[in-house]
Amino acid sequence: MFKILEKITELIGWFQIVISPTLLGLGIGCIVYFNFQNLAGLILGIIISIIGLICGIALATKKLKTTETIHFLSRVSATPELDNINETKQLKNKNSC
């Protein structure tokens, strides 16, 4: 039961890692196409989008095999400088008085 839940969360994490470079590639591909609205611009935009997808798949698969995707995503989204923000504000207020 827990192995299935672990696999599901790893799959969701894998998709989250794939989406980021894919969207970046799609954005750059759209910019290229809007600047060169002809067949060459369309082909170049599609190629850039596919390269973004391939890079996303490669990155996500590498992270899945090495450190697990959920572990990677939790480290990326962690913000240690914001963990004690309330204490920092209180210290600043105490020191300024």
Side-chain angles (χ1 to χ4, degrees), residues 9-29:
T9 57
E10 289 297 322
L11 184 65
I12 291 170
W14 188 86
F15 279 120
Q16 287 178 342
I17 295 173
V18 168
I19 286 173
S20 182
T22 302
L23 290 177
L24 183 64
L26 279 171
I28 294 171

Side-chain angles (χ1 to χ4, degrees), residues 33-70:
Y33 176 67
F34 287 133
N35 285 329
F36 305 104
Q37 291 187 357
N38 53 19
L39 184 60
L42 178 66
I43 292 172
L44 188 61
I46 290 172
I47 289 172
I48 292 172
S49 300
I50 291 172
I51 289 171
L53 177 66
I54 291 170
C55 289
I57 290 171
L59 177 66
T61 304
K62 179 182 176 187
K63 291 301 172 185
L64 180 66
K65 289 182 179 180
T66 57
T67 62
E68 298 182 346
T69 57
I70 297 301

